[in-house]
Amino acid sequence: MNYRHSMTCYTEGIKVLAPVKWRGLDGLMSVFWDAEGQPGAKGYYLSPDPRIVIFFNDVSPHIRMTNRESGVIDHFRPMMRAVYVPAGVALWTTFTSPHRFSHLDLHLHKDKLLRFLSPSVGSSAALTALRRPVEIQDVGAIETLASLLVDEVSHPSKPAIYAESLVGSIVSGLLDIPDSGSEQPNGRLTQAQMNKLISRINGRSDGRLTVAEMASTVGLSESWFANVFKQTTGKTPLQWQLGKRIDLAQKLLVESELTIADIAAQLGFSDQAHLTKAFRQIAGETPAAWRRMQRLL
């Protein structure tokens, strides 16, 4: 399939630092960028085709993203290491601090993706996966596959099928593919949906999301999400989220010298007493006692 991607793209304050490397394959285009953004730099991207963006360093403290045209600051969220953007979904980005970054863009023809996924998961599940956005911070093996693909894009040395198979593995590992064509088997969230929630929570410095934001992350209505989440975890979304925030508090207590009051403020608790009450409820100890115990281990 002869394929040339088409994307509307506007950037401001972003400078390309090296020649762009690209390679056209059957139904897809691979493009590698090395660039730098200044504080306040921004970008707008809209493609009629699905695409994948994989960053080779952590950009979440420096780049924020939104799919809402208004650009209200509350609508922005940290940019994750790997992002799947469905066809026709607009993306706005802004830099909060200067940052050099490199990333691989994969522009994919919808028919190519359907032909790849449908024999294994069925056409219905494949179409569902193509409509679901994905944002993950823990890229794991996907980064390794992307690095191999960048090497082949930069210095082609193998048949095209090698690069195409790398893309196929990236797609399989990243897209949120329903199990057996069922979006909510047994009224529960899929593991892929839970992974998306965990990645989104981990991308927030305070570990906080509203129930509406959590529901939107996995593509469900707020009321349905609350129901299936309780079926999946045995906890309400906010109870589960509080546990994750206490996990963050424990990490800060061990790895930093922040005071308990500072940790409370960073994680969005109203004050030290609020954190202490929640911490004791979940961990069985006060933060101070828990920190002392860990330092004795």
Side-chain angles (χ1 to χ4, degrees):
M1 178 191 300
N2 293 325
Y3 171 70
R4 291 292 182 268
H5 72 281
S6 172
M7 184 168 72
T8 302
C9 171
Y10 302 106
T11 63
E12 178 183 324
I14 300 174
K15 179 173 66 175
V16 177
L17 300 178
V20 176
K21 298 179 176 65
W22 61 273
R23 184 176 179 185
L25 299 164
D26 179 24
L28 60 97
M29 177 71 69
S30 302
V31 188
F32 176 68
W33 301 82
D34 185 13
E36 184 176 51
Q38 299 304 316
K42 59 187 68 174
Y44 166 75
Y45 312 89
L46 176 63
S47 175
D49 299 308
R51 65 190 187 97
I52 291 172
V53 184
I54 301 169
F55 289 91
F56 292 97
N57 56 356
D58 184 10
V59 297
S60 61
H62 311 283
I63 307 177
R64 298 183 68 79
M65 60 185 290
T66 182
N67 304 109
R68 302 195 183 188
E69 185 174 4
S70 63
V72 176
I73 192 65
D74 289 346
H75 294 161
F76 280 91
R77 58 193 183 276
M79 175 69 79
M80 298 288 99
R81 292 282 307 277
V83 178
Y84 168 70
V85 185
V89 174
L91 183 67
W92 286 260
T93 62
T94 183
F95 281 71
T96 58
S97 56
H99 189 60
R100 178 170 179 167
F101 61 95
S102 59
H103 67 78
L104 175 68
D105 282 353
L106 299 176
H107 301 268
L108 307 150
H109 195 285
K110 178 182 175 182
D111 291 346
K112 171 74 173 183
L113 281 181
L114 285 175
R115 289 203 311 273
F116 173 71
L117 293 173
S118 293
S120 298
V121 304
S123 58
S124 177
L127 284 168
T128 297
L130 264 59
R131 291 192 292 264
R132 288 177 169 174
V134 176
E135 300 166 16
I136 64 170
Q137 183 68 1
D138 184 8
V139 289
I142 290 175
E143 181 177 14
T144 302
L145 293 167
S147 296
L148 292 172
L149 182 56
V150 168
D151 289 342
E152 187 62 19
V153 168
S154 303
H155 307 288
S157 60
K158 296 179 174 64
I161 192 173
Y162 170 72
E164 291 169 8
S165 67
L166 290 172
V167 175
S169 296
I170 290 170
V171 167
S172 300
L174 180 61
L175 264 64
D176 185 3
I177 302 170
D179 294 332
S180 302
S182 174
E183 295 190 23
Q184 302 303 139
N186 302 319
R188 296 174 181 269
L189 294 173
T190 65
Q191 187 58 53
Q193 288 172 316
M194 288 300 301
N195 290 343
K196 286 173 67 175
L197 273 177
I198 292 169
S199 181
R200 182 87 186 274
I201 286 281
N202 290 344
R204 300 290 291 263
S205 61
D206 60 1
R208 299 178 73 188
L209 291 172
T210 66
V211 176
E213 288 172 325
M214 295 170 73
S216 176
T217 298
V218 297
L220 297 175
S221 69
E222 188 172 342
S223 59
W224 177 244
F225 169 77
N227 179 51
V228 296
F229 190 92
K230 183 75 178 287
Q231 293 288 334
T232 304
T233 66
K235 300 177 181 178
T236 70
L238 294 182
Q239 287 171 339
W240 177 82
Q241 184 181 143
L242 180 61
K244 293 296 180 184
R245 292 169 70 198
I246 296 304
D247 288 345
L248 283 173
Q250 291 177 331
K251 187 173 188 291
L252 291 170
L253 286 166
V254 170
E255 298 180 1
S256 79
E257 297 301 322
L258 291 173
T259 67
I260 295 170
D262 287 340
I263 292 173
Q266 179 169 323
L267 297 181
F269 291 92
S270 56
D271 53 27
Q272 181 174 333
H274 184 199
L275 169 60
T276 297
K277 180 179 179 181
F279 196 99
R280 183 188 287 117
Q281 176 185 345
I282 291 175
E285 299 278 358
T286 67
W290 192 88
R291 174 180 259 175
R292 285 195 299 269
M293 181 176 64
Q294 294 300 309
R295 289 180 175 178
L296 289 174
L297 295 178

